[in-house]
């Protein structure tokens, strides 16, 4: 079975790139439609029913997001996505406490928007420690402990990496930060709704969430900001003081409702999805590795989210393999960085040599991926790797 059509006669590739974005769950669309058509009030309008019904919908969505992560709904701020949430957390905390604290700790394998936010702080006179990661992609907790300085205000470490799928020891990082009274931020865009996350259990103070990574709409996300012990941040955006004054601007009701619904569905389906995706991932890796020699799996084998698989195929140029696999939508790493022909900085950080880094492909398996799609991808992959190697 090849890729499916899109209705206009043309065949579209089958989709194996869920780390870049996910399709909208039909249940999410259903929840959004009324707020795109009949219930179009501004949720901040206080004087009529249009405003009240939109506000009620936004507050229900806020509770749905909070429930997924074990937070209080007052701690959820709607944003345009995880990039904005990451910017808010890092710049917001650093700037608020800058009179006493001028140091931030992060890792070399964070998402671009975290690294760029840190670079931007450096130009404002802050000091940033970029922790290296071990060969398996995980940070060394001893190195983290050694990196603290008396004026450290924030530690930012992502939960699940978007390129290699490794899962950082968030629980332990939270403990370390709490004992030192330093705020802990995690970019959980690739983790939320896929693995259990509890902000209290993991002692997370700030967390970034994205709608379109969890089968919700694009253009919406959230930031969790802890109230006890209270985290203060300087807002990036000035205006009418919506969202506790931390993020001014009219909250887009249909998008917020969609994010809430996506979180509610994820909470319901998490266990089922995880089991299914683990089996499909196991199938993909086992089949490829049993048929093709010299394939390396990037990132730790144990501590990972199974739906993100990054394989390097020795002696094959990754770009030419992607070209050959044109009927499967795959990527050679992050969508944000694939425009440059530099090898991925995440793979460089785990010490992958230049040639292998150039030969890596990321396979994304999600809620709607089928066994047939996995088998088709495997079959094509084996076929083209062999062909390219013979050349």
């Amino acid at each position: 079975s090849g890729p499916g059509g899109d209705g206009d006669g043309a065949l579209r590739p089958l989709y194996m790139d869920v780390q870049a974005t996910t399709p909208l769950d039909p249940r999410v669309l259903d929840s959004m439609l009324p707020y795109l058509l009949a219930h179009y009030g501004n949720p901040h309008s206080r004087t009529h029913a249009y405003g009240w019904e939109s506000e009620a919908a936004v507050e229900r969505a806020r509770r749905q997001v909070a429930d997924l992560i074990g937070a209080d709904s007052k701690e959820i701020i709607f944003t345009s996505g995880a990039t904005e949430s990451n910017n808010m957390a890092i710049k917001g905390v650093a700037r608020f406490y800058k009179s006493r604290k001028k140091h931030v700790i992060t890792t070399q394998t964070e998402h671009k928007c975290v690294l760029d936010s840190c670079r931007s702080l450096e130009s404002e006179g802050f000091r940033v420690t970029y922790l290296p990661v071990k060969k398996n992609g995980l940070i060394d907790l001893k190195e983290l402990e050694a990196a603290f300085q008396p004026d450290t205000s924030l530690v930012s470490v992502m939960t699940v990496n978007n390129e290699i799928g490794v899962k950082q020891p968030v629980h332990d990082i939270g403990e370390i930060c709490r004992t030192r009274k330093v705020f802990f931020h995690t970019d959980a865009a690739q983790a939320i709704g896929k693995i259990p996350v509890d902000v209290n259990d993991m002692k997370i103070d700030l967390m970034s969430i994205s709608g379109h990574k969890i089968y919700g709409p694009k253009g919406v996300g959230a930031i969790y900001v802890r109230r006890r012990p209270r985290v203060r941040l300087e807002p990036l955006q000035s205006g009418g003081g919506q969202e506790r004054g931390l993020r001014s601007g009219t909250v887009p009701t249909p998008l917020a409702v969609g994010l809430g619904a996506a979180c509610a569905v994820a909470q319901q389906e998490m266990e089922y999805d995880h089991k299914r995706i683990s089996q499909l991932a196991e199938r993909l890796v086992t089949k490829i590795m049993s048929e093709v020699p010299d394939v390396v799996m990037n990132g730790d084998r144990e501590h990972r989210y199974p739906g993100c698989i990054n394989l390097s195929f020795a002696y094959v140029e990754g770009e030419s393999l992607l070209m050959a696999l044109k009927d499967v939508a795959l990527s050679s790493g992050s969508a944000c960085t694939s425009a440059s022909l530099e090898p991925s900085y995440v793979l460089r950080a785990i010490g992958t040599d230049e040639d292998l880094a150039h030969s890596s492909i990321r396979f994304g398996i999600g809620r709607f991926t089928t066994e047939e799609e996995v088998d088709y991808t495997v079959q094509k992959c084996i076929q083209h790797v062999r062909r390219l190697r013979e050349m």
Side-chain angles (χ1 to χ4, degrees), residues 266-282:
Q267 197 167 0
Q268 236 177 313
E269 310 271 335
M270 193 185 305
E271 219 173 307
Y272 174 79
D273 279 349
H274 194 277
K275 210 167 100 186
R276 209 179 139 267
I277 287 168
S278 302
Q279 287 165 349
L280 290 176
E282 183 63 28

Side-chain angles (χ1 to χ4, degrees), residues 54-123:
S54 289
E55 184 190 24
V58 166
E59 293 314 310
R60 185 171 63 247
R62 202 186 298 282
R63 274 197 308 281
Q64 291 171 315
V65 177
D67 286 348
L68 180 61
I69 61 171
D72 183 296
S73 60
K74 293 189 187 73
E75 300 174 304
I76 303 297
I77 306 293
F78 287 112
T79 67
S80 64
T83 290
E84 184 186 357
S85 301
N86 285 334
N87 274 264
M88 276 173 74
I90 290 160
K91 295 173 182 169
V93 168
R95 288 172 183 163
F96 190 91
Y97 296 97
K98 68 171 179 269
S99 60
R100 305 193 311 283
K101 301 184 166 183
K102 302 286 278 186
H103 179 242
V104 171
I105 300 172
T106 187
T107 80
Q108 293 175 4
T109 53
E110 293 300 304
H111 190 277
K112 258 286 194 275
C113 61
V114 167
L115 297 176
D116 280 359
S117 294
C118 289
R119 297 261 181 266
S120 149
L121 287 178
E122 286 180 300
S123 70

